[in-house]
Amino acid sequence: MNHAALIRMVTKGFPNKLNRFNEKGLSMVTKTVKVTANNCPYKGRSIQVYDAEIIESLISMYALALAYRQLRENQKHIGERCVFLLKSLVRTALESAIQEACGFIPQVQQTAQNHYSKAISLIQKMGFHCTVDQHIATKKDIASFLNIPISTLNSFLYKHSYEIKPIKLDSPRIRSFGSKASRMNGYHLHDIVKIIFGIDTEVTARIKQEMFGQLGTFAKLDSRSEIEWRSVLKEIFSDFDFKCNHPIGKYRYYVDYFVPELQLCLECNGYDCHRSYDAQKEKEREQIITQNYGLIRFHHKVKLETLVNAILKIKPGSVIRLYDQEKIAQT
């Protein structure tokens, strides 16, 4: 989420789909404080801050909205990160409570940092390697580890440039690992953890499960099925430029899978087949996508043969829906 979205909530209030989960009836109110910390680059300046209770409620609202399938496609990643954050905060709180019960002074910040360090240790055990030094990696390192195209990583970094800042590498450092590039950015391990929690791949799914367990029944089935379909479709379109979570059109609507050479968009829908989504907005979204592409929306339990037949039949400007209503009714 970028800061502009938070500002809109301050001026216009929470979006309706979030506000229904606003159990405490809070509103986004900021406070003006003057920074006095010596090690802060904003020392001496007055800045706007948010109360911890508001942040807690916002995290809970996004997590609940994800559970009830009220988030748009381009918002789901926020909901998922909020779920992971909630689990991490609960674990930190429990460990702090145990420390206090045992007569120790709780070290909340250190406990939270330990979980961050655990994530770093985990990705290193899974084979992640930093080319620059022990703490700084290149885009190639990250993309190779996550098994995604550089273009996908670039899109993510552009979208989250407000929170993930690159480290500009000087020429001697670039030459030190054999590169002939005239300029290059590196990324610290702490930011790489943010990338891993923000991008959905088979690799990141394993890391998240190792760190936090399953998301829960509300997200487990859809997430797992989407990962499985991603692997299957990647094989089917191995000779094509197969893209995942790709933006379409000037409004940057995201589709699950995109094959530009075939002018084909595919979306793996969950149990309710997006029936809980805003029907009018979904219609507008489909109209934008089908201006130049064909769109196939399929239930995650559809047979592969059925999906392949639809891929062969689809044409730009059309939509094919593959939903097994009997199976949906049984779930």
Side-chain angles (χ1 to χ4, degrees), residues 65-270:
L66 175 69
Y68 285 90
R69 306 180 190 280
Q70 294 299 304
L71 297 180
R72 297 193 300 272
E73 285 297 320
N74 62 346
Q75 295 175 321
K76 283 185 177 180
H77 70 282
I78 302 175
E80 290 174 353
R81 292 187 70 179
C82 286
V83 172
F84 293 129
L85 184 56
L86 280 174
K87 285 200 170 188
S88 182
L89 290 173
V90 168
R91 182 178 295 176
T92 300
L94 285 173
E95 290 188 14
S96 298
I98 292 170
Q99 290 172 1
E100 187 173 12
C102 293
F104 298 105
I105 299 174
Q107 302 291 332
V108 177
Q109 186 173 356
Q110 183 178 345
T111 301
Q113 183 62 38
N114 287 342
H115 293 314
Y116 221 77
S117 299
K118 180 182 177 182
I120 293 174
S121 176
L122 182 60
I123 64 174
Q124 289 174 332
K125 287 181 180 178
M126 293 179 66
F128 183 78
H129 172 70
C130 292
T131 294
V132 183
D133 58 31
Q134 291 183 342
H135 304 288
I136 300 176
T138 64
K139 288 182 181 178
K140 186 176 180 180
D141 295 331
I142 302 169
S144 177
F145 177 71
L146 298 180
N147 194 24
I148 58 174
I150 290 288
S151 59
T152 300
L153 178 60
N154 284 336
S155 297
F156 178 86
L157 292 173
Y158 176 78
K159 187 176 180 180
H160 296 84
S161 58
Y162 62 94
E163 62 172 331
I164 299 177
K165 303 296 183 183
I167 301 169
K168 291 185 178 180
L169 305 178
D170 55 29
S171 294
R173 180 171 279 191
I174 294 173
R175 299 291 178 269
S176 68
F177 52 87
S179 176
K180 297 181 180 180
S182 58
R183 57 184 179 179
M184 184 181 294
N185 288 332
Y187 294 86
H188 195 277
L189 276 173
H190 288 87
D191 282 329
I192 293 167
V193 172
K194 295 178 184 178
I195 295 170
I196 288 171
F197 286 160
I199 290 182
D200 290 325
T201 70
E202 293 91 335
V203 176
T204 60
R206 291 200 302 271
I207 294 171
K208 292 170 186 176
Q209 183 175 348
E210 181 73 21
M211 284 288 296
F212 305 109
Q214 293 287 4
L215 280 177
T217 55
F218 64 83
K220 177 168 56 179
L221 292 170
D222 284 358
S223 299
R224 183 195 303 159
S225 62
E226 288 175 6
I227 290 170
E228 290 173 351
W229 273 113
R230 182 179 301 174
S231 300
V232 171
L233 292 172
K234 188 181 293 184
E235 289 295 323
I236 292 176
F237 297 110
S238 59
D239 293 331
F240 295 88
D241 183 15
F242 178 68
K243 301 179 182 294
C244 301
N245 297 320
H246 191 75
I248 299 293
K250 64 179 181 179
Y251 298 101
R252 299 188 71 82
Y253 289 118
Y254 280 76
V255 294
D256 292 337
Y257 313 110
F258 178 55
V259 188
E261 297 98 320
L262 303 180
Q263 296 178 284
L264 172 64
C265 299
L266 300 106
E267 296 219 299
C268 177
N269 297 160

